[in-house]
Amino acid sequence: MLAANLAQALDPVLFAKEALGFTPDPWQEQALRWGGKRLLLNCSRQSGKSTTAAILALHKALFYPASLVLLVSPSLRQSSELFRKVQDFLKALPAEQQPELVEDNKLSLTMKNKSRIVSLPGSEGTIRGFSGASLIVEDEAARVPDELYFAVRPMLAVSGGRLILMSTPFGKRGHFFKEWTEGGDTWERIMITAHDCPRISPEFLEEERQALGEWWFKQEYLCEFVETEDQVFTYDQVMMALSDEVRPLFFEQ
Ligand SMILES: Nc1ncnc2c1ncn2[C@@H]1O[C@H](COP(=O)(O)OP(=O)(O)OP(=O)(O)O)[C@@H](O)[C@H]1O
Ligand SMILES: [Mg+2]
């Protein structure tokens, strides 16, 4: 391997800059260089989640032969869009770094080095049959069904692979919320509001606040897990009502 490629293999940020001509934001650098196994990214809309997922996938597949990278999205449309980002970055590579592809579809590719990148839509049926994933990235994790998340996790068992959940919040429910609030310190957590994104101007945000109203604005741009609008009781009210000290009314013990 060329010395320049070796440096890129060791540093995904260098890879993004040199090979893809892409300059990551500070939080994207942090996510790209992160060395742990479990990462939660709670990010504003349009902050660059999917772009970061695509770079992570490509870096892994290119430099680590025989890697299986799974990209999971809530819907077919979103998994197609995410895979298109991977393909666009692939095209941006300089000619001498272009990998030979032995399979190239709308939602998956296999490189000659035996690495695969597969972009999966959010139904549990599509996920069965994969094993030994080196990297799993859930994009829009708050909208990915919990069943799918539970189906995906065992694929890391043997490979010791890494799991990244990246999302804008979507109510106080589902596995993304649960891992963010109760997942413990096996997870690293990074939060990026729209104010932290250099491409989103304060003027635009003010306009959005007016147009969307507080509820949507807090969720989409400020990374807040707000109550689902039709919820009768708030999450905190329900949690406060759950007490071990209260004996059930109708069950004799
Ligand atoms: N570091 C960067 N420098 C320049 N442009 C960037 C950077 N990161 C992301 N972008 C651009 O910002 C836009 C949004 O990026 P992306 O789709 O990755 O964000 P997202 O968080 O997935 O958005 P959404 O919440 O809508 O899914 C895209 O046009 C992308 O090319
Ligand atoms: Mg996205």
Side-chain angles (χ1 to χ4, degrees):
M1 200 189 288
L2 293 169
N5 287 7
L6 181 62
Q8 289 177 16
L10 296 172
D11 183 4
V13 172
L14 195 69
F15 167 68
K17 288 182 181 167
E18 283 186 0
L20 304 175
F22 177 85
T23 308
D25 297 340
W27 77 268
Q28 289 172 319
E29 289 202 3
Q30 202 183 341
L32 290 169
R33 286 204 172 118
W34 163 80
K37 293 276 186 199
R38 304 278 179 270
L39 177 64
L40 295 168
L41 292 162
N42 177 359
C43 305
S44 156
R45 289 295 314 279
Q46 286 291 297
S47 54
K49 298 180 291 296
S50 301
T51 305
T52 308
I55 297 174
L56 278 166
L58 198 53
H59 182 266
K60 186 75 171 179
L62 266 183
F63 293 110
Y64 297 82
S67 294
L68 172 62
V69 180
L70 297 179
L71 301 172
V72 182
S73 304
S75 69
L76 181 60
R77 182 186 59 76
Q78 284 157 308
S79 49
S80 309
E81 266 173 30
L82 183 53
F83 196 68
R84 203 168 316 121
K85 285 193 202 293
V86 174
Q87 286 174 319
D88 288 346
F89 278 130
L90 204 54
K91 282 187 213 131
L93 284 171
E96 68 277 11
Q97 275 183 269
Q98 293 275 344
E100 195 177 319
L101 301 180
V102 294
E103 178 240 48
D104 184 10
N105 288 314
K106 283 206 173 90
L107 289 177
S108 71
L109 61 81
T110 308
M111 296 177 183
K112 200 174 170 214
N113 71 2
K114 297 197 167 60
S115 286
R116 294 184 71 194
I117 301 177
V118 185
S119 195
L120 294 161
S123 60
E124 199 206 339
T126 61
I127 208 117
R128 304 259 170 218
F130 291 103
S131 67
S134 337
L135 171 65
I136 299 178
V137 185
E138 258 189 33
D139 194 15
E140 295 300 340
R143 289 164 191 266
V144 168
D146 288 345
E147 304 80 70
L148 190 59
Y149 175 64
F150 298 137
V152 148
R153 288 193 56 118
M155 292 167 198
L156 300 164
V158 179
S159 56
R162 326 165 87 187
L163 176 61
I164 303 178
L165 309 184
M166 44 176 76
S167 197
T168 302
F170 186 49
K172 294 190 177 197
R173 57 175 139 87
H175 62 278
F176 182 68
F177 171 65
K178 206 161 166 28
E179 301 292 19
W180 183 264
T181 50
E182 299 170 17
D185 53 14
T186 48
W187 293 93
E188 169 99 20
R189 293 170 178 77
I190 302 177
M191 185 168 110
I192 302 301
T193 71
H195 299 296
D196 305 320
C197 179
R199 285 168 302 283
I200 304 181
S201 72
E203 295 74 31
F204 174 79
L205 280 180
E206 198 37 52
E207 194 186 328
E208 286 292 277
R209 188 197 290 276
Q210 305 281 340
L212 298 179
E214 280 303 311
W215 190 93
W216 280 102
F217 185 76
K218 281 183 185 161
Q219 173 174 283
E220 302 296 298
Y221 293 107
L222 301 183
C223 308
E224 288 186 28
F225 292 89
V226 282
E227 304 295 338
T228 31
E229 268 185 310
D230 54 358
Q231 225 159 291
V232 178
F233 299 105
T234 68
Y235 175 80
D236 288 334
Q237 281 169 334
V238 174
M239 281 302 148
M240 267 160 45
L242 296 176
S243 162
D244 294 341
E245 288 158 30
V246 181
R247 283 172 55 109
L249 278 179
F250 305 111
F251 301 106
E252 281 302 323
Q253 286 183 336

